Amino acid sequence: MRPFGATILDAAGLELSVEEKAFFRDVRPFGFILFGRNIDSPDQLRALCDEMREAAGHDAVITIDQEGGRVQRMREPHWRDWMPPLEMAERAGDQSTKAFYLMYRIIAHELHSVGIDSNCAPLIDVASAQTHRFLRNRCYGDTPGQVAAIGRAVSDALLAGGVLPVMKHMPGHGRATLDSHHNLPRVDARRIDLEAVDFAPFRSLQDLPMGMTAHLVYDALADTPATLSPEVMRLIREDIGFDNLIMTDDISMKALQMTPAESTRAALAAGCDVALFCNGSLDERRAVAAAAGEMTPAAQTRALRAMDARQSPDDVDIDALSAQLETLLGGTLHG
């Protein structure tokens, strides 16, 4: 079998253009990611997912950011709006793991019903008082034990609903005081503290099928952003023990301070398996795909293992789950 292209790519609109279809046929990306501009109605979204897989020529993974709160691409009136995860954890208290399981099992149902089979969650960065506001209310808590427990509930719920979880941001973004969409955060914490707090949830969830990197510098580990750092990739593989598929965070983010094609080459050389590229022109996507090329044999093995982790959803009553969650949260799912 021809290897997949070492990319996860997006589309410009609600359906693929003729040029996009030809491009995806040529480069055969491992997967796709969806944004609000790609979403109008359930029927339209299902048709777009079918188009993407047909163009790629294989049963491509299609992912999305459906965390709840600010970061969710599918919204009312067709899908539920959710409160921010940190607010959910605070409101649910000692019932947090159950609440998150119910929430993400419902999310998985909504995703799977339109052809989406991956979600860029759980976010298992450990929050602190210094965590930048772009990330803080997306977190699950401020202790590694709580974050890992909720992260496991999120992952179990997604898998039960036929959706692959993508844990992020490896090996921990919670200490960042800058928004990596615009700037390069630097973390000066000691490695012993990083090991005890930031890396711990990822070690607990090392069996998950996919993970996403962090665009920040850990001074105790390397001088380059984690996504581009062979030292950090070795830590993820050997110390954290994660031997499944590693995708980059979006390589167009300003933290990387390189062109997307340059960042792609550097990330794959460092040890990432696949480059995620979002919000670029078709010519920029072509350049990224050319820089990425096809997956290495090791990356292809991890990609196939991730795809094999997809399963048929279990049989549940979604209305009953929603009622349970509303009761647990005191009558509302919204912030």
Side-chain angles (χ1 to χ4, degrees), residues 10-335:
D10 61 351
L14 299 176
E15 59 185 18
L16 298 185
S17 67
V18 172
E19 293 81 6
E20 285 175 324
K21 289 180 181 178
F23 167 58
F24 294 144
R25 274 195 298 273
D26 287 343
V27 303
R28 215 169 115 83
F30 164 69
F32 297 94
I33 188 167
L34 299 169
F35 290 90
R37 66 177 178 274
N38 306 124
I39 298 167
D40 178 49
S41 70
D43 287 345
Q44 169 271 324
L45 189 48
R46 197 176 300 109
L48 177 59
C49 290
D50 289 345
E51 275 192 317
M52 287 175 158
R53 292 189 172 106
E54 181 179 2
H58 70 99
D59 191 15
V61 170
I62 298 179
T63 196
I64 193 168
D65 290 295
Q66 194 73 357
E67 299 175 6
R70 287 181 298 109
V71 182
Q72 61 175 88
R73 313 306 184 194
M74 297 161 58
R75 293 188 174 273
E76 292 182 341
H78 299 295
W79 302 281
R80 291 167 177 82
D81 281 342
W82 300 94
M83 69 180 69
L86 190 59
E87 183 180 337
M88 168 83 80
E90 291 167 348
R91 187 172 298 189
D94 59 7
Q95 295 292 304
S96 287
T97 55
K98 181 177 181 181
F100 275 85
Y101 184 92
L102 294 168
M103 170 185 173
Y104 275 87
R105 183 61 189 84
I106 296 165
I107 287 174
H109 172 76
E110 294 186 334
L111 299 181
H112 194 271
S113 68
V114 293
I116 299 169
D117 59 4
S118 174
N119 190 5
C120 293
L123 186 149
I124 53 173
D125 304 317
V126 180
S128 73
Q130 290 74 42
T131 303
H132 191 278
R133 63 183 180 275
F134 100 93
L135 186 69
R136 180 171 167 77
N137 73 349
R138 300 163 59 192
C139 296
Y140 304 154
D142 57 7
T143 66
Q146 177 187 14
V147 169
I150 293 175
R152 177 63 68 186
V154 168
S155 303
D156 287 349
L158 291 172
L159 288 166
V163 173
L164 293 175
V166 180
M167 66 174 175
K168 59 188 185 186
H169 302 85
M170 301 177 75
H173 209 304
R175 295 180 191 264
T177 58
L178 298 174
D179 181 349
S180 53
H181 292 86
H182 306 292
N183 299 286
L184 176 61
R186 300 191 73 100
V187 171
D188 62 2
R190 300 176 304 165
R191 176 160 179 167
I192 189 171
D193 297 323
L194 294 170
E195 292 275 1
V197 177
D198 304 71
F199 304 165
F202 295 96
R203 194 174 292 114
S204 295
L205 275 68
Q206 63 178 257
D207 58 303
L208 295 189
M210 299 171 65
M212 177 187 288
T213 62
H215 293 339
L216 75 169
V217 173
Y218 305 91
D219 290 333
L221 304 178
D223 294 327
T224 51
T227 300
L228 312 181
S229 168
E231 295 87 354
V232 177
M233 289 302 113
R234 267 196 304 276
L235 178 140
I236 290 170
R237 294 295 190 200
E238 297 173 8
D239 182 28
I240 289 174
F242 184 75
D243 191 34
N244 290 320
L245 187 90
I246 296 178
M247 59 189 278
T248 70
D249 202 347
D250 178 13
I251 55 168
S252 71
M253 290 164 62
K254 300 298 186 288
L256 296 186
Q257 303 174 342
M258 302 167 73
T259 69
E262 291 169 339
S263 293
T264 295
R265 282 189 286 268
L268 298 181
C272 295
D273 295 311
V274 61
L276 171 67
F277 179 52
C278 313
N279 304 310
S281 67
L282 185 56
D283 283 344
E284 288 173 320
R285 282 181 274 166
R286 289 191 177 108
V288 165
E294 293 181 336
M295 283 187 160
T296 65
Q300 181 78 5
T301 296
R302 296 185 186 109
L304 292 172
R305 193 160 66 226
M307 296 168 80
D308 286 346
R310 295 179 293 195
Q311 60 193 47
S312 297
D314 60 359
D315 187 15
V316 297
D317 183 333
I318 294 298
D319 289 339
L321 298 187
S322 297
Q324 287 182 50
L325 183 55
E326 288 187 25
T327 299
L328 190 154
L329 296 176
T332 180
L333 306 182
H334 302 275

